[in-house]
Amino acid sequence: AQSVAQPEDQVNVAEGNPLTVKCTYSVSGNPYLFWYVQYPNRGLQFLLKYITGDNLVKGSYGFEAEFNKSQTSFHLKKPSALVSDSALYFCAVSQYNAGNMLTFGGGTRLMVKP
Amino acid sequence: DGGITQSPKYLFRKEGQNVTLSCEQNLNHDAMYWYRQDPGQGLRLIYYSQIVNDFQKGDIAEGYSVSREKKESFPLTVTSAQKNPTAFYLCASSQDGRNTDTQYFGPGTRLTVL
């Protein structure tokens, strides 16, 4: 079975500071990893994904994520946070031979303060 | 939210009633999905469909039913057998259901049981 953990319910950062939202996963084969963002009462917006290749993946709105196979992690990062980045962030995983069945983490609320 | 529409945005149901949530996409995607989101939890898969006239149960299918008569449409019925239906329901679609595909989400329907 595949699973995702987002160990922090909330992350607080000051505007202009770097941010990191953590994600670890567990799969039996090669993982395919995704990050989504959700604003209040809205659907999820796709940010980026890792399928294969370069461990550093760049996505929308200046976000990037680093795949670390040895630590089974896929942390989301941004060099300089904006107040408008405040939202709920979800990490998700699928794996080979599991169809496109995404398993989501519980979400991390990012609060960026001016 | 792209080319995926969900209606209605808010839905109120009395206990014992069946209700149907609409999901339509104009992205020409083969695969469609229904998720349920509860506060403090990630998304959980209810049903998914990779082609017309075919669908599979997800992790929490009990008390729900779906149909896929057209490529563009994947309605979800919440039956009276669903014991705790109050939640935020999200529909998604992807190109062809491969596990490397990105799923794109609609804006969601918030269902409240009175």
Side-chain angles (χ1 to χ4, degrees):
Chain A
Q2 55 194 42
S3 66
V4 176
Q6 294 182 243
E8 301 157 315
D9 290 336
Q10 182 162 317
V11 170
N12 298 311
V13 297
E15 188 173 30
N17 282 1
L19 69 87
T20 298
V21 182
K22 295 180 180 178
C23 171
T24 58
Y25 65 89
S26 174
V27 299
S28 58
N30 290 326
Y32 305 121
L33 296 152
F34 301 77
W35 274 103
Y36 286 87
V37 61
Q38 184 180 36
Y39 296 96
N41 294 312
R42 301 290 297 276
L44 275 65
Q45 295 180 28
F46 169 71
L47 285 177
L48 50 83
K49 68 180 178 182
Y50 171 82
I51 303 301
T52 188
D54 194 345
N55 289 343
L56 184 64
V57 179
K58 294 188 182 298
S60 305
Y61 314 118
F63 284 94
E64 59 189 27
E66 186 168 12
F67 172 63
N68 188 318
K69 188 172 184 178
S70 63
Q71 297 186 6
T72 62
S73 67
F74 189 56
H75 301 331
L76 182 70
K77 300 181 180 183
K78 188 175 182 182
S80 178
L82 300 172
V83 172
S84 57
D85 292 331
S86 299
L88 188 57
Y89 290 80
F90 289 99
C91 181
V93 67
S94 69
Q95 65 181 75
Y96 181 72
N97 278 345
N100 194 357
M101 294 186 64
L102 282 178
T103 297
F104 284 84
T108 298
R109 187 165 301 282
L110 174 66
M111 299 290 290
V112 182
K113 299 181 180 179
Chain B
D1 299 332
I4 303 173
T5 58
Q6 292 186 242
S7 61
K9 187 176 177 75
Y10 299 97
L11 185 58
F12 298 91
R13 189 194 92 171
K14 294 181 179 179
E15 287 193 18
Q17 285 183 334
N18 293 353
V19 291
T20 297
L21 283 59
S22 170
C23 177
E24 304 276 334
Q25 54 98 1
N26 63 3
L27 301 170
N28 200 33
H29 284 172
D30 286 327
M32 297 186 74
Y33 314 80
W34 274 106
Y35 292 91
R36 170 182 172 137
Q37 185 179 17
D38 295 284
Q41 298 188 37
L43 280 67
R44 292 181 290 169
L45 182 65
I46 304 172
Y47 270 98
Y48 67 102
S49 167
Q50 293 182 296
I51 56 173
V52 174
N53 292 323
D54 186 51
F55 47 83
Q56 287 78 40
K57 294 181 179 180
D59 298 325
I60 55 166
E62 184 175 353
Y64 300 97
S65 66
V66 294
S67 63
R68 186 87 187 275
E69 297 176 1
K70 298 187 300 182
K71 186 175 184 177
E72 305 79 24
S73 178
F74 192 40
L76 173 74
T77 296
V78 184
T79 75
S80 58
Q82 169 51 234
K83 299 304 180 187
N84 185 21
T86 294
F88 191 47
Y89 290 87
L90 289 160
C91 177
S93 71
S94 68
Q95 186 65 54
D96 56 18
R98 291 176 302 170
N99 48 14
T100 55
D101 276 352
T102 298
Q103 293 185 24
Y104 296 94
F105 285 78
T109 292
R110 187 166 299 280
L111 173 63
T112 302
V113 175
L114 303 174

